Amino acid sequence: MDDDLSLRMPGVVRRVHGVLLACLTLGLAACGGSGGGPATASTGMDRPAGASQTTDQGTVVVALTDVEGGFTSYAVDVLAISLERSDGAVIDVLPQPARVDFAQLTALSEVITTADIAPGEFVGGSIRIDYANAEIYVETGGEIVAADVYDSEGNLLTASTASSILEIAISLPLRERLRVASNRTALFSIDFDLTASHIVDTTTDPVSVVAQPYLVAEVRPVDDKEIRVRGALLNVDLDAGTYDIRLRPWQHQLGDYGAFTVITTAATEFEVDGVVHVGRSGLEALAAKPEGTLTVAFGELDRSDRSFTAGVVHAGDSLAGDRYAAVLGNIVARNGDQLVLKGALAIRRDRPAHFRRTITVELGTDTSVTRVRDPGTEYDKDDLSVGQRVMILGQFSEPAIEPADEFTPDAALVLDATQGRARMLVTSLLGTVNEAITGQVDVNLRAIDHLSASLFDFTGTGNSEQNDADPAHYLVATTHLTAGSVDALQALEVDQPVRVLGFVSRYGDAPPDFEGRVVIGPRDLPAALGVGWGSDGTASPFSVIGARSLVIDLANPDIGQRHHLLIGDRLIDLFDLPASPGITESALPRVYGIAEPGHAELFKDFADFVDELSLRLSAGDRARSLAAYGRYDAGQVELTANKVVVHLVPPDVP
């Protein structure tokens, strides 16, 4: 992805940090197409200016996202996405394979393709994923390491064999079918739940991961996420305030994944060739660019008509492309004008983007620096400090990487940004509260974005050596919070978890160490509950299985290493709770799933979910694992869940 811009704080925050969540639900040892014919390209909304469509067809916008799951990188090739009509016909909607790093889509949804298809009702779909050239990395023992991925039968997926391809079918809930109408647009959002889909063992060398892919397909997504749309410019309509693109999702330099129309407003922030604009002047700057100019927009998809309105647009030399290469990641150390980034994405001008454990960046006095959501302020290279998430544009210098070394994450890589550009992105902190006073919160820092705090060297961040940032007492300024964070700030408690979104202070200026914009306290942080019953599963996972609740049977001897509850950064052993935890239905938007090898069936109603689960367990299916997300009530020992998935093993599977 080009940027991560979200500073929105939805009414219910559902994100948790990936590394810690892996400890909870993945059992890390360190924690204890054919049949319907091809679809045609479309605009992805209800035909605003600049778009065209035959009136007997409707449009489907396909988006991808992810629930965090402990991976620093999870880049795989999506070979196909198909939709199944109610009459059994299957329609392929992905025009060509697309490489996607799902670990980078935890805060965003990416529009991957659009398709014009004949009207009708669709009962589900499927996705085919190829792991042959996968780049899958986890953090363990203070290092970022590669992982080998196996299917549930023990076949190595991360190798160039026929077994490297997995196909997962998805059945939509009866009340949530995908309905495509003439000259209207529908959304098909696919959430690859990495948390519920993998078992990770960090005691092996290399780290081993068992993939049991679980996907949630939704026409009205449960999670409220910012939408990212990337593609090559087709035309601009100044009167309508829109522009059209040919979609090129993720970091694809070529290809056509469908046409799409982007709506802009007087408040839309533009950066075109490094120059910042707001509103119409930005659209005029975009209109002056030639067809084919690369663009990326961040915004919201209207739930009523699926139209897309951009809050931020970057284009031309403000992106990696013809002129610049780029790196995306967090600064883990700085020495003078040299930055070190770990777990970063290298975006080359002439080759596919790839993950790198470490990338060095050289700055200079001519390095141009900006910050998202702050178009009127001037910045320079010394605003780039340790911890800050950045997109930096420049040129990769020697030693060059040959094509054969593209998948060598340790190959030396240096980005010369002395004549380039750097953009500071929204950065996420996770930790616990040491003290909260007027204007400042002292945080025991556990993680920054995808990386644990132990990976960062804060030398030089302070206005003196004694004032260098200390992760055990990381000082967050709270004088510029968004309005929705004021109540959360007042509710903070010592030793309780907290997440903060914002920007790192200028290099050499700390304290404070961080400028907080959004504070998410314990009452708004999601809880995640995970249980595993081993590869053979169990016939009796619950002591209570009723229309309104499930209660985990902690007396079941089949419970394995996974029996945890995670709230923020706090990992709680279920056996330390005063009673067996219950799981109940949320009043919020929700989705529940039953997963079996190669298939997932989804439910919107908790009672329907429990009924089907009871039937399958009675018929001999065995529960292998459970992952649930929602709000935890310590007094009731109960999780009110808006998402639950139970992995079952059919009785005929040995």
Side-chain angles (χ1 to χ4, degrees):
M1 59 200 298
D2 294 282
D3 294 331
D4 181 349
L5 303 179
S6 182
L7 262 175
R8 295 188 303 156
M9 180 178 171
V12 176
V13 180
R14 302 183 178 95
R15 298 186 59 216
V16 289
H17 187 268
V19 173
L20 294 171
L21 189 54
C23 296
L24 166 65
T25 55
L26 306 187
L28 289 178
C31 306
S34 61
T40 58
S42 75
T43 63
M45 55 183 298
D46 290 332
R47 304 301 150 234
S52 62
Q53 181 193 47
T54 56
T55 56
D56 61 342
Q57 290 186 314
T59 299
V60 176
V61 176
V62 181
L64 297 179
T65 189
D66 166 46
V67 172
E68 286 183 289
F71 294 93
T72 308
S73 172
Y74 200 98
V76 292
D77 293 312
V78 179
L79 300 183
I81 298 174
S82 302
L83 299 176
E84 182 183 354
R85 291 186 182 274
S86 55
D87 62 3
V90 175
I91 298 176
D92 297 324
V93 295
L94 188 67
Q96 61 196 85
R99 189 168 184 82
V100 177
D101 187 345
F102 284 95
Q104 301 290 336
L105 293 179
T106 57
L108 297 168
S109 290
E110 170 106 4
V111 175
I112 189 171
T113 190
T114 62
D116 288 345
I117 59 179
E121 181 178 84
F122 294 82
V123 300
S126 66
I127 183 170
R128 294 177 67 220
I129 298 174
D130 189 355
Y131 286 82
N133 293 313
E135 295 173 290
I136 297 177
Y137 292 82
V138 300
E139 185 186 333
T140 179
E143 299 291 339
I144 297 171
V145 300
D148 282 345
V149 183
Y150 300 84
D151 65 17
S152 57
E153 297 178 356
N155 299 310
L156 181 64
L157 296 175
T158 44
S160 298
T161 65
S163 62
S164 69
I165 298 174
L166 293 182
E167 182 165 359
I168 308 97
I170 313 159
S171 295
L172 289 167
L174 181 62
R175 301 181 184 90
E176 291 288 327
R177 298 284 171 80
L178 176 66
R179 294 176 175 85
V180 178
S182 296
N183 207 32
R184 299 290 294 172
T185 297
L187 175 66
F188 190 69
S189 177
I190 301 174
D191 184 346
F192 189 2
D193 191 338
L194 295 182
T195 296
S197 297
H198 300 86
I199 300 171
V200 181
D201 186 353
T202 59
T203 64
T204 61
D205 186 14
V207 169
S208 61
V209 176
V210 177
Q212 303 170 136
Y214 170 67
L215 303 175
V216 175
E218 301 171 276
V219 298
R220 291 184 295 178
V222 168
D223 290 327
D224 181 18
K225 292 185 178 182
E226 195 164 46
I227 304 292
R228 176 182 182 268
V229 177
R230 182 180 184 275
L233 182 67
L234 284 173
N235 56 70
V236 176
D237 188 328
L238 291 173
D239 292 333
T242 65
Y243 68 92
D244 295 337
I245 61 171
R246 288 289 180 190
L247 285 169
R248 289 181 186 166
W250 190 235
Q251 296 297 337
H252 293 268
Q253 300 296 329
L254 302 172
D256 179 359
Y257 292 82
F260 197 92
T261 299
V262 177
I263 299 173
T264 67
T265 71
T268 300
E269 297 175 12
F270 289 82
E271 185 184 318
V272 181
D273 293 338
V275 180
V276 175
H277 308 265
V278 178
R280 183 179 176 89
S281 67
L283 197 61
E284 290 173 343
L286 186 61
K289 299 296 294 180
E291 181 178 342
T293 296
L294 192 58
T295 71
V296 63
F298 300 83
E300 297 182 353
L301 203 65
D302 187 279
R303 288 181 176 266
S304 61
D305 65 3
R306 306 306 184 190
S307 61
F308 175 79
T309 300
V312 173
V313 176
H314 296 146
D317 287 343
S318 290
L319 301 176
D322 292 338
R323 182 177 176 189
Y324 290 116
V327 297
L328 172 66
N330 290 82
I331 303 168
V332 300
R334 176 167 179 170
N335 183 9
D337 284 346
Q338 185 179 82
L339 309 179
V340 178
L341 284 73
K342 286 187 178 292
L345 189 69
I347 307 168
R348 300 180 68 83
R349 293 182 298 158
D350 55 349
R351 301 174 203 165
H354 287 295
F355 176 84
R356 289 287 178 269
R357 287 196 183 100
T358 304
I359 299 175
T360 301
V361 176
E362 300 287 352
L363 304 176
T365 55
D366 292 330
T367 304
S368 172
V369 180
T370 59
R371 192 167 86 173
V372 296
R373 309 295 192 189
D374 196 2
T377 305
E378 293 185 1
Y379 296 95
D380 60 37
K381 62 184 178 64
D382 288 332
D383 285 291
L384 305 176
S385 192
V386 177
Q388 180 64 50
R389 185 164 178 81
V390 289
M391 166 70 76
I392 303 181
L393 307 177
Q395 308 297 336
F396 285 119
S397 57
E398 298 297 334
I401 291 193
E402 299 300 325
D405 297 325
E406 282 294 337
F407 291 91
T408 306
D410 291 325
L413 195 58
V414 178
L415 184 82
D416 182 352
T418 56
Q419 302 295 317
R421 300 185 178 127
R423 182 180 300 120
M424 293 182 285
L425 308 176
V426 177
T427 303
S428 174
L429 311 179
L430 183 66
T432 55
V433 176
N434 292 321
E435 182 183 31
I437 60 176
T438 302
Q440 183 172 283
V441 178
D442 183 327
V443 175
N444 185 358
L445 186 64
R446 304 299 178 87
I448 302 178
D449 290 309
H450 292 280
L451 305 176
S452 68
S454 62
L455 288 177
F456 294 83
D457 179 358
F458 294 100
T459 301
T461 57
N463 53 30
S464 67
E465 184 177 347
Q466 293 74 23
N467 283 333
D468 283 347
D470 177 3
H473 293 278
Y474 199 73
L475 304 180
V476 177
T478 57
T479 53
H480 295 93
L481 295 180
T482 58
S485 293
V486 176
D487 291 342
L489 177 65
Q490 294 174 345
L492 292 182
E493 298 179 14
V494 173
D495 292 331
Q496 292 300 306
V498 63
R499 182 184 290 277
V500 184
L501 306 181
F503 302 92
V504 176
S505 297
R506 182 178 170 88
Y507 185 67
D509 273 10
D513 307 312
F514 193 84
E515 178 189 318
R517 293 297 186 87
V518 174
V519 171
I520 306 166
R523 69 183 183 186
D524 289 317
L525 280 171
L529 186 153
V531 185
W533 292 277
S535 59
D536 293 334
T538 182
S540 53
F542 310 106
S543 58
V544 174
I545 181 166
R548 295 186 178 274
S549 69
L550 298 170
V551 177
I552 306 296
D553 183 5
L554 291 183
N556 188 324
D558 294 325
I559 292 179
Q561 291 182 327
R562 285 168 291 157
H563 39 81
H564 303 290
L565 176 71
L566 180 69
I567 307 173
D569 73 329
R570 181 151 297 172
L571 197 64
I572 303 170
D573 193 318
L574 298 185
F575 288 106
D576 291 336
L577 298 176
S580 294
I583 301 171
T584 62
E585 182 177 28
S586 172
L588 298 167
R590 55 202 179 270
V591 62
Y592 308 110
I594 297 174
E596 292 182 334
H599 183 263
E601 184 172 358
L602 306 178
F603 305 84
K604 283 291 184 180
D605 185 81
F606 191 82
D608 292 344
F609 162 66
V610 171
D611 284 347
E612 183 63 23
L613 185 59
S614 298
L615 285 173
R616 297 195 188 189
L617 290 171
S618 298
D621 283 12
R622 304 183 301 279
R624 178 178 283 171
S625 64
L626 174 146
Y629 316 89
R631 285 282 195 282
Y632 180 67
D633 186 325
Q636 298 295 321
V637 196
E638 187 174 85
L639 183 79
T640 301
N642 68 305
K643 282 187 176 183
V644 182
V645 56
V646 178
H647 278 272
L648 297 180
V649 184
D652 57 346
V653 175

